[in-house]
């Protein structure tokens, strides 16, 4: 069971993209500007090195470089969650320990998987998370996402929450996320310190209704997500629903058409970063998709489109 000594993390914690130059090398100045823009746009926390940060195209040395650059630059202005996912228990625990040493507020970890078929059974997943917990003294967020291909049942998640000391947050982004969040909160009780929404907020309103207390979205428009989450938590449901209706076309376009490229395209358009490079072999966004994304975003006037102008 978690023994958190801090107020539970709540609110909007978007994923920071990894910024590359035109040749696909790390752009640390752009990385810092991206973090600043996201904080200025209302992010209550940040997440780095996640799948939407293209963590799967980074070398271990580059991961450490981004980790250090962002945490030193943010310097405690907002809490930063660091994704430390790895198939190896040893490597994941070491990554998590380094993240804590550099100032991470939390680590986010998917269950161990590799490729399309390398999976481990529940007892091994339990031991994996327990070992990570034993290596650190900050909370662990379980990322329950389809990309891992590992079914995580509600009883199993609730059991881990009750028995593994640091494991207290759950980012649920599988199909029927709201139903799973609701069942997890019921099964885990007080051990479920942070039930969170994910997947670019495509199911945000239903997830909030199910009891979600945090939202980890794409990084392009945290100000828009705040327009939904803040009134919801203040009990102004009609205002939250109206805001969700306004922002949903952009949320949908990012989730269904763009993926991780959306944030970087918006940041480049707004002068935050110089290049919106996706590291190969990922393709650049099609010009027609790009134009559609920017058209929808301009109607909403997010901070990202004027921050660098």
């Amino acid at each position: 069971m978690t023994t958190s000594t801090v107020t539970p993390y709540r609110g909007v914690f978007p994923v920071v993209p990894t910024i590359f130059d035109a040749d696909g090398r790390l752009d640390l100045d752009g990385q810092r500007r991206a973090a600043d823009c996201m904080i200025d746009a209302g992010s209550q926390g940040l997440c780095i090195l996640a799948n939407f940060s293209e963590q799967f195209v980074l070398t271990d040395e580059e991961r450490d470089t981004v980790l250090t650059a962002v945490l030193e630059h943010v310097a405690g202005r907002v809490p930063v969650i660091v994704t430390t996912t790895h198939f190896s228990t040893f490597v994941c625990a070491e990554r998590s320990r380094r993240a804590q040493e550099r100032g991470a507020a939390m680590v986010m970890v998917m269950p161990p998987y590799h490729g399309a078929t390398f999976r481990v059974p529940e007892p091994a997943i339990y031991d994996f998370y327990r070992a990570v917990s034993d290596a650190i003294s900050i909370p662990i967020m379980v990322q329950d996402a389809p990309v891992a291909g590992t079914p995580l049942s509600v009883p199993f998640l609730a059991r881990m929450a009750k028995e593994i000391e640091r494991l207290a947050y759950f980012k649920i982004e599988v199909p029927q996320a709201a139903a799973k969040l609701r069942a997890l909160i019921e099964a885990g009780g007080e051990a479920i310190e942070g039930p969170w929404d994910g997947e670019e907020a495509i199911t945000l309103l239903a997830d909030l209704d199910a009891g979600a207390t945090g939202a980890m979205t794409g990084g392009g428009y945290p100000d828009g997500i705040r327009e939904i989450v803040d009134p919801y938590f203040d009990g102004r449901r009609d205002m939250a629903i109206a805001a969700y209706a306004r922002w949903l076309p952009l949320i949908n376009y990012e989730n269904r058409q763009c993926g991780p490229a959306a944030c970087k395209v918006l940041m480049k358009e707004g002068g935050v970063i110089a290049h919106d490079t996706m590291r190969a072999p990922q393709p650049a966004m099609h010009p027609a998709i790009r134009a559609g994304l920017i058209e929808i975003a301009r109607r909403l006037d997010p901070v990202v489109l004027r921050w660098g102008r």
Side-chain angles (χ1 to χ4, degrees):
M1 182 181 298
T2 183
T3 56
S4 174
T5 59
V6 299
T7 301
Y9 296 112
R10 296 168 55 93
V12 180
F13 281 58
V15 173
V16 183
T18 301
I19 308 303
F20 302 111
D21 66 16
D23 297 320
R25 299 182 181 89
L26 292 180
D27 174 2
L28 295 182
D29 179 62
Q31 192 71 65
R32 297 180 186 101
R33 285 174 59 83
D36 285 342
C37 175
M38 291 171 64
I39 292 171
D40 289 348
S43 301
Q44 291 159 298
L46 301 173
C47 177
I48 62 173
L49 299 172
N51 291 328
F52 254 49
S53 314
E54 301 172 80
Q55 59 89 10
F56 41 80
V57 302
L58 300 177
T59 68
D60 288 347
E61 182 179 3
E62 287 173 329
R63 286 181 57 89
D64 280 345
T65 298
V66 172
L67 173 70
T68 301
V70 173
L71 287 172
E72 287 184 352
H73 186 68
V74 171
R77 284 178 285 164
V78 296
V80 178
I81 299 171
V82 177
T83 304
T84 58
T85 297
H86 197 279
F87 184 81
S88 161
T89 302
F90 174 82
V91 174
C92 187
E94 286 298 304
R95 281 183 174 183
S96 300
R97 185 182 294 112
R98 283 201 304 275
Q100 177 180 309
E101 289 171 353
R102 305 282 175 84
M106 187 190 309
V107 296
M108 183 168 72
V109 181
M110 281 188 288
Y113 76 99
H114 180 74
T117 60
F118 281 36
R119 303 288 183 272
V120 298
E122 277 191 0
I125 295 172
Y126 182 98
D127 290 343
F128 169 86
Y129 279 110
R130 184 177 61 184
V132 175
S133 175
D134 289 346
I136 59 177
S137 58
I138 56 177
I140 298 169
M141 175 180 285
V142 176
Q143 183 178 6
D144 184 13
V147 67
T150 303
L152 296 170
S153 71
V154 166
F156 179 58
L157 291 174
R159 177 190 165 213
M160 289 201 296
K162 292 175 181 178
E163 297 178 4
I164 298 177
E165 186 174 9
R166 312 295 175 197
L167 197 145
Y169 289 76
F170 299 84
K171 180 186 176 187
I172 306 298
E173 44 192 352
V174 295
Q176 306 301 312
K180 190 165 189 177
L181 279 165
R182 188 173 288 109
L184 179 60
I185 293 166
E186 181 178 352
E190 293 182 356
I192 311 301
E193 188 168 304
W196 281 31
D197 163 86
E199 203 185 1
E200 302 82 67
I202 195 69
T203 59
L204 178 59
L205 190 62
D207 292 345
L208 290 170
D209 283 343
T213 57
M216 187 178 291
T217 62
Y221 41 95
D223 45 333
I225 306 301
R226 286 286 302 269
E227 288 185 14
I228 303 162
V229 170
D230 288 359
Y232 189 95
F233 288 155
D234 287 343
R236 294 174 291 165
R237 181 177 176 80
D238 287 348
M239 185 178 294
I241 291 173
Y244 192 57
R246 282 196 309 275
W247 288 91
L248 188 56
L250 183 58
I251 291 168
N252 179 276
Y253 207 90
E254 176 182 21
N255 180 265
R256 300 302 186 195
Q257 306 298 329
C258 305
C263 179
K264 290 201 273 194
V265 165
L266 294 175
M267 285 184 170
K268 182 183 178 185
E269 183 69 15
V272 180
I273 59 177
H275 303 281
D276 54 19
T277 308
M278 297 291 288
R279 188 174 260 184
Q282 299 177 104
M285 188 181 293
H286 190 280
I289 298 297
R290 179 191 180 94
L293 174 69
I294 293 170
E295 179 185 29
I296 293 172
R298 287 210 178 280
R299 295 174 181 271
L300 296 161
D301 193 31
V303 167
V304 68
L305 290 182
R306 41 191 164 82
W307 187 88
R309 299 299 183 187

